[in-house]
Amino acid sequence: MTTFQLSSSSPANIAADLLVLPVFEGLKPGPGLREVATAMKADLTSILADGGVKGKQGDTFTMPTLGRIKAKMILVVGLGQQAEADANTVRRAAQRIAARSSRFATVATTLHQVGASAADSAHGFAEGLVLGAYRFTQYKERPIDETAIEKSALKKVILVGNRETKALKAALRRGEIYGEAANWARDLVNTPALDATPAFLAAEAKKMAAKHGLVCKIWTRAELKRGGFGGILGVGSGSINEPRLIELAYRGDGNAPPIAVTGKGVTFDSGGLSLKEAQPMEWMKADMGGAAATLAMMRAIAELKPKINVIAAIPCAENMPGGSAIRPGDVLRHRGGKTSEVLNTDAEGRLILADALAYLSEKNPVAIIDSATLTGAAVVALGEDLWAVMGSDPELIAALRSAGEEVGEPGWELPLWTEYRKHIESTIADVKNIGNRWGGAITAALFLKEFVGDVPWAHIDVAGPAFAERQTDYWPRGGTGSPARTLIRYIERQAEKNGGGGRRNGSRRG
Ligand code: BES
Ligand code: ZN
Ligand code: ZN
């Protein structure tokens, strides 16, 4: 556990193992850099220039202080253009710092002074540190945590240049909550499907709910049968690992109608009888990224306690080609009675989500949001950084996009082009589960739309950003937690509209 401290002393007077100082594009000094240069009687700008530092995002430079100031080492981090620097810049820098500062017990920095709002930047800083310190080591012979060399020594972070205020302390804590929730989602995504079965996700949800005071009900296979959840049962029928539906409720606003959320929880997507090839199957343990993000959001909301009601129904199933698997041509009857013709068992996400959406729409929510690693087509359209969003409510879509931008998980809208509805017309059922070759992200969304009734709804296709196939300089390989932080921020923003419990009660600097 890292503790955060705020201090109003000068960065030159802080005893720390590492002092992290920002610099902007063109070597414009960030907060604290000049003071430190003066105290050290050193021309830091020339030293940085000689070291090849330009101040671009991702630039780093480490140097010893040779006893001239109290800190032992300095880490200069580039933040890019000063005018563009905001809480997202700070978060990203903190992610990079966390990866580089694991040897140091005490780290001091002025980074949170960058950007328009000290509270937002402090939040981004804490969140970035938590995200950047993430390691997934459970499956090593000896978890790296036990070995001397890679164990993070980081104990204390001192934010220099501000007196401690309630607002700043709260912002730091909120950043930790966001980061820890996303890291939990990353753990769930990274856990191999051998272990992360539907029952495992349900047990994790149950533990989390007990710890954080959420109402939780797990639907077993028999209960799903009685409830008419033919999509979840159908997809899960080819696996010995039985499907589950995880139901969670957070109540922060009396009897007000809730926001409803769901997420695709396919614990492994082999494709079923429409079997995938080996390479596209490599990452399919991550096909429950939407479920993981939804669980993580519920956890964070339980901790943040905003004034709002949120319900979740998360369908979990393993898509396997066992002897009892569904076949191309089969027809499933979903919750609420609508039927779908399964022409490709690899288009399974929509089949389980259909049941969850129909179930949630029965609860008369103000809106339904689903997140899903639903289509390769969304990745073709927008690449790996951006999720796609489609839905029936422009305001909801705009709010999700703006929440995503605030937390550094950006998305982009694709059209819910109703002309393409004809491509999922079935001759024997109400709808079929594949369209033609093109516009696959859109036809998938149009399929989902059949099950939401007239509730305002948005669908986030997170097949690209949910996991990183290759490491970048601020994400290791594996789950990213996306779009957990987007969902948390969206819910908090909606709660603010309810006039309370929101994040901004007096925390904005001006
Ligand atoms: N889980 C996949 C989508 C996916 C692809 C997620 C790449 C993450 C990375 C989904 O179930 C799937 O297989 N979709 C098919 C749909 C097709 C059969 C209509 C696809 O996208 O090819
Ligand atoms: Zn899938
Ligand atoms: Zn699939």
Side-chain angles (χ1 to χ4, degrees):
M1 251 317 251
T2 307
T3 59
F4 290 94
Q5 223 176 7
L6 290 141
S7 161
S8 51
S9 4
S10 152
N13 282 329
I14 286 284
D17 300 307
L18 183 72
L19 175 61
V20 180
L21 296 170
V23 66
F24 298 107
E25 183 95 48
L27 285 186
K28 278 197 216 145
L33 199 72
R34 272 205 192 93
E35 274 167 274
V36 168
T38 310
M40 287 181 72
K41 300 190 176 60
D43 183 359
L44 284 185
T45 309
S46 310
I47 293 172
L48 291 173
D50 292 346
V53 178
K54 296 198 164 61
K56 288 190 192 305
Q57 268 196 45
D59 278 357
T60 53
F61 187 79
T62 315
M63 56 182 273
T65 60
L66 307 173
R68 294 189 190 185
I69 59 169
K70 285 197 186 158
K72 288 185 193 150
M73 299 275 267
I74 290 177
L75 169 63
V76 176
V77 292
L79 298 186
Q81 291 294 343
Q82 183 162 18
E84 286 159 23
D86 58 10
N88 276 326
T89 320
V90 174
R91 182 189 307 98
R92 250 184 212 198
Q95 279 179 263
R96 291 193 181 95
I97 291 163
R100 280 180 176 77
S101 54
S102 62
R103 285 181 294 121
F104 305 98
T106 307
V107 173
T109 187
T110 58
L111 251 176
H112 66 293
Q113 294 180 38
V114 170
S117 149
D120 285 352
S121 292
H123 174 132
F125 181 78
E127 189 178 304
L129 268 195
V130 173
L131 292 171
Y134 177 82
R135 299 287 176 280
F136 186 69
T137 59
Q138 281 149 255
Y139 286 85
K140 295 285 190 184
E141 183 181 15
R142 278 196 307 159
I144 289 172
D145 278 347
E146 289 173 14
T147 68
I149 213 156
E150 295 200 44
K151 180 178 173 177
S152 176
L154 188 60
K155 289 264 154 14
K156 191 158 85 175
V157 176
I158 309 169
L159 301 169
V160 185
N162 282 88
R163 263 184 307 114
E164 183 167 312
T165 64
K166 253 193 173 163
L168 279 176
K169 280 215 88 149
L172 288 166
R173 180 66 198 131
R174 278 212 324 274
E176 282 187 297
I177 291 173
Y178 274 64
E180 281 160 7
N183 283 353
W184 182 47
R186 294 163 83 182
D187 271 344
L188 296 177
V189 168
N190 289 334
T191 301
L194 174 67
D195 297 327
T197 60
F200 171 88
L201 289 185
E204 286 286 299
K206 205 161 187 172
K207 264 193 278 172
M208 180 278 284
K211 186 167 172 205
H212 297 285
L214 295 173
V215 181
C216 177
K217 174 187 158 62
I218 306 299
W219 294 65
T220 62
R221 192 168 75 158
E223 288 168 317
L224 290 170
K225 205 168 240 164
R226 283 197 291 277
F229 292 81
I232 301 173
L233 291 166
V235 172
S237 65
S239 169
I240 53 163
N241 298 310
E242 289 184 6
R244 295 282 187 275
L245 177 70
I246 301 168
E247 207 178 338
L248 294 164
Y250 164 77
R251 194 187 257 207
D253 192 17
N255 289 323
I259 292 184
V261 287
T262 181
K264 173 178 173 182
V266 172
T267 58
F268 186 75
D269 184 10
S270 72
L273 284 173
S274 313
L275 197 66
K276 287 182 186 294
E277 292 191 22
Q279 200 276 326
M281 226 188 271
E282 275 179 25
W283 277 98
M284 285 303 124
K285 69 170 181 181
D287 212 20
M288 31 57 76
T294 306
L295 286 171
M297 179 274 283
M298 291 303 286
R299 169 178 146 160
I301 291 306
E303 293 184 80
L304 294 161
K305 300 190 175 33
K307 186 180 176 213
I308 197 162
N309 292 332
V310 187
I311 56 172
I314 304 167
C316 301
E318 187 177 37
N319 188 23
M320 296 289 270
S324 50
I326 48 166
R327 323 140 187 81
D330 282 353
V331 173
L332 303 176
R333 188 173 296 276
H334 294 276
R335 172 81 180 190
K338 278 210 172 121
T339 59
S340 67
E341 184 184 9
V342 180
L343 290 177
N344 189 319
T345 63
D346 196 11
E348 83 296 343
R350 64 199 76 180
L351 299 173
I352 67 170
L353 285 169
D355 286 350
L357 292 169
Y359 178 67
L360 287 170
S361 72
E362 294 165 16
K363 312 266 178 191
N364 294 315
V366 287
I368 306 181
I369 301 162
D370 76 77
S371 328
T373 49
L374 204 62
T375 67
V379 195
V380 172
L382 296 176
E384 293 173 305
D385 287 357
L386 299 161
W387 38 261
V389 59
M390 285 155 275
S392 58
D393 190 85
E395 220 179 291
L396 174 58
I397 289 167
L400 285 168
R401 282 199 56 209
S402 113
E405 228 141 79
E406 283 185 48
V407 301
E409 284 179 343
W412 207 265
E413 185 178 1
L414 295 180
L416 191 63
W417 193 253
T418 49
E419 294 271 325
Y420 294 165
R421 173 62 180 76
K422 59 179 176 277
H423 299 313
I424 55 169
E425 191 65 52
S426 167
T427 50
I428 68 164
D430 295 321
V431 63
K432 65 181 167 115
N433 81 329
I434 49 168
N436 62 355
R437 198 146 124 66
W438 312 112
I442 297 171
T443 45
L446 286 168
F447 180 98
L448 298 179
K449 181 174 179 280
E450 297 290 312
F451 298 88
V452 293
D454 44 25
V455 181
W457 154 78
H459 155 63
I460 293 178
D461 193 330
V462 75
F467 56 93
E469 278 188 270
R470 275 171 301 272
Q471 75 165 63
T472 68
D473 63 339
Y474 57 98
W475 287 114
R477 208 163 158 268
T480 61
S482 178
R485 292 180 295 111
T486 300
L487 294 172
I488 303 168
R489 179 57 55 89
Y490 167 78
I491 297 288
E492 281 206 291
R493 288 290 188 205
Q494 292 310 111
E496 281 172 39
K497 289 189 192 162
N498 298 343
R503 42 189 294 275
R504 289 299 164 69
N505 293 329
S507 67
R508 227 198 225 301
R509 187 169 62 175

